[in-house]
Amino acid sequence: MKQKCENKKSSILSLAQAIFISADFTSQNDLDSHASACAFGFLFSFLPLVLMVFSILIRVMHATKEALRDAIAIPFLEGIFNLDEILDSVNFSNSMTIVDIVLGVWIFWMARNLFLYIQKGITRIFHKEAAQRPVLNQFLIFGGELILVLGATALVLISISFKTLQFNSAFVALKNSFHPRLLDSISRTINIVPYVLIFVLVFLALRFYTGTKPGAKLCALAAFFSTGIFIAVVIFLNIFLDFKRYNLIYGILGNLVILLFEVKIFFFLFFVFAQFVFVIQFFDDLLLAKLYLLPDHDETDFLNALNRALFIRPDFLIKNFNSSKKFCADETIVKSDSSADSVYYIISGSVKRVAENNIAFFDRGAMFGEESCLLNTAHNADFIAATECRILEISGTTFRRLIDLNGDAAKKAVQKLSMYLRR
């Protein structure tokens, strides 16, 4: 029972540490600005994509203007765009001219804005770990756009088919035979289909678009929470936001302002949970960096004090590395002239460094032995437990990878090496 309680506390602590790191990176990577760029990219891509969908439906599927008008008769869209004027501007002729081809290429190129901004946000989050693949990224941009266009075309076709079926006498008779509650359940299920599609798209983007191949369960969990929070925000806005006020202030652009706000929220949530996926995927290295850069115990700044209090206990690394060991007081941890192939972190207690004419003490939260490890030389002092203590041993390979990947850790290591060589 006690072990289960400890494991639960350890899991909660690790989750809090992951959330803190994610929030820190969200601020550093300026994900809010990337979400805003995606919202405006959506605005610039939306009309071109709509025109592309209309072109496919008209040229390939031979859809009529009336069928399209009925299929896309969404009150929210009607409040933003004059759908009749858009449809009137589309040539319903089946013949294809060079002008149509040129316009089609231009529309396709303009619609890339949204995917370019999404790619930039993902690159900002995963750039250090993701493999460089510029050619593949361009294929992903065009592929994502193609999937979106084909998907939108399929949805409009389904809508046209469903609305046509509603007037069929056999369908009307079948519909009247159903219980009202069943019809209500079917209607609600249809209403959640767009959100299911959003979940699927977010999952696929996190799983395959990031370039680091995170686990499927992790991506599904992140997609579920980002989609769920987005749905909650939309419901909240619909309940408490006064749409008439925005229409009064901005005129016909009122709905467009609200649409952009909701789109920005969606992309912000998408990037935040993508950042969380990155943190969970590389939690070992990120937590080790936090340990090495842990503020001193005498720090008075609130954020530094919070940082130290939250990360001084690395339960995840203790469990994952499986290399912690307890030492009694006055027991030797590392002997002078021994090989330096590890770095040591003090989980609890204190350690003293004993050289020829020098004694220094290290308290809980400190690391020692990194200078000899980086220089690949033997230790030039004894490290002895000043009190009963617990030490986490970190392999030299793991520590050197941290120095290679983290600029702040490398800067601190250079400073410590400089002091070490001056002794």
Side-chain angles (χ1 to χ4, degrees), residues 16-26 28 275 278-279 283 286-287 290 310-311:
Q17 290 170 338
I19 292 173
F20 186 93
I21 295 173
S22 297
D24 189 24
F25 276 130
T26 297
Q28 290 182 29
Q275 186 68 79
F278 170 82
V279 169
F283 193 48
L286 296 172
L287 186 55
K290 283 290 185 182
L310 186 60
F311 291 99

Side-chain angles (χ1 to χ4, degrees), residues 2-14:
K2 185 178 179 181
Q3 183 64 35
K4 287 184 178 179
C5 186
E6 286 296 322
N7 290 337
K8 186 176 181 180
K9 287 182 179 179
S10 177
S11 299
I12 293 173
L13 176 63
S14 297

Side-chain angles (χ1 to χ4, degrees), residues 108-160:
F108 192 83
W109 188 261
M110 281 293 295
R112 297 174 67 250
N113 286 305
L114 175 60
F115 297 95
L116 282 173
Y117 288 131
I118 295 173
Q119 181 195 357
K120 287 179 180 179
I122 290 294
T123 303
R124 181 67 177 175
I125 295 170
F126 290 87
H127 63 102
K128 290 185 179 179
E129 299 294 342
Q132 299 298 315
R133 45 180 194 175
V135 177
L136 180 59
N137 284 338
Q138 293 302 316
F139 279 111
L140 288 173
I141 289 171
F142 285 110
E145 185 179 349
L146 182 62
I147 290 172
L148 187 60
V149 170
L150 294 177
T153 304
L155 287 175
V156 175
L157 281 174
I158 292 171
S159 177
I160 293 173

Side-chain angles (χ1 to χ4, degrees), residues 120-337:
K120 287 179 180 179
I122 290 294
T123 303
R124 181 67 177 175
I125 295 170
F126 290 87
H127 63 102
K128 290 185 179 179
E129 299 294 342
Q132 299 298 315
R133 45 180 194 175
V135 177
L136 180 59
N137 284 338
Q138 293 302 316
F139 279 111
L140 288 173
I141 289 171
F142 285 110
E145 185 179 349
L146 182 62
I147 290 172
L148 187 60
V149 170
L150 294 177
T153 304
L155 287 175
V156 175
L157 281 174
I158 292 171
S159 177
I160 293 173
S161 302
F162 183 76
K163 291 192 177 185
T164 304
L165 192 63
Q166 281 183 312
F167 298 100
N168 184 278
S169 58
F171 179 80
V172 172
L174 181 64
K175 178 181 176 182
N176 293 333
S177 67
F178 287 144
H179 194 279
R181 288 186 178 179
L182 179 60
L183 292 174
D184 185 56
S185 299
I186 294 173
S187 177
R188 289 182 179 179
T189 302
I190 293 173
N191 289 335
I192 67 171
V193 168
Y195 296 108
V196 174
L197 291 176
I198 290 175
F199 167 81
V200 172
L201 289 174
V202 171
F203 169 78
L204 292 175
L206 293 175
R207 184 80 170 93
F208 301 106
Y209 200 59
T210 57
T212 60
K213 298 181 180 178
K217 289 183 179 179
L218 175 61
C219 294
L221 192 64
F224 174 79
F225 278 105
S226 63
T227 306
I229 295 173
F230 175 67
I231 293 171
V233 170
V234 171
I235 293 173
F236 177 84
L237 291 176
N238 289 334
I239 293 174
F240 294 102
L241 197 62
D242 187 358
F243 290 88
K244 293 181 180 179
R245 179 185 174 190
Y246 281 87
N247 289 334
L248 182 64
I249 297 173
Y250 297 104
I252 62 172
L253 295 178
N255 283 340
L256 181 59
V257 171
I258 296 169
L259 175 63
L260 282 176
F261 179 65
E262 291 181 350
V263 171
K264 177 183 175 178
I265 289 175
F266 167 75
F267 281 111
F268 181 72
L269 290 170
F270 169 71
F271 286 136
V272 165
F273 280 95
Q275 186 68 79
F276 186 74
V277 167
F278 170 82
V279 169
I280 295 298
Q281 190 178 5
F282 301 101
F283 193 48
D284 285 25
D285 293 333
L286 296 172
L287 186 55
L288 181 59
K290 283 290 185 182
L291 291 187
Y292 189 56
L293 299 170
L294 204 65
D296 295 333
H297 62 84
D298 56 351
E299 280 281 356
T300 57
D301 181 76
F302 173 75
L303 286 178
N304 285 335
L306 177 63
N307 207 334
R308 180 176 175 82
L310 186 60
F311 291 99
I312 197 168
R313 182 178 149 190
D315 290 357
F316 184 84
L317 293 183
I318 294 170
K319 180 180 179 181
N320 205 35
F321 288 175
N322 195 27
S323 58
S324 64
K325 186 177 179 182
K326 292 183 178 179
F327 294 88
C328 298
D330 296 325
E331 187 177 354
T332 300
I333 301 170
V334 177
K335 291 184 178 180
S336 178
D337 296 327

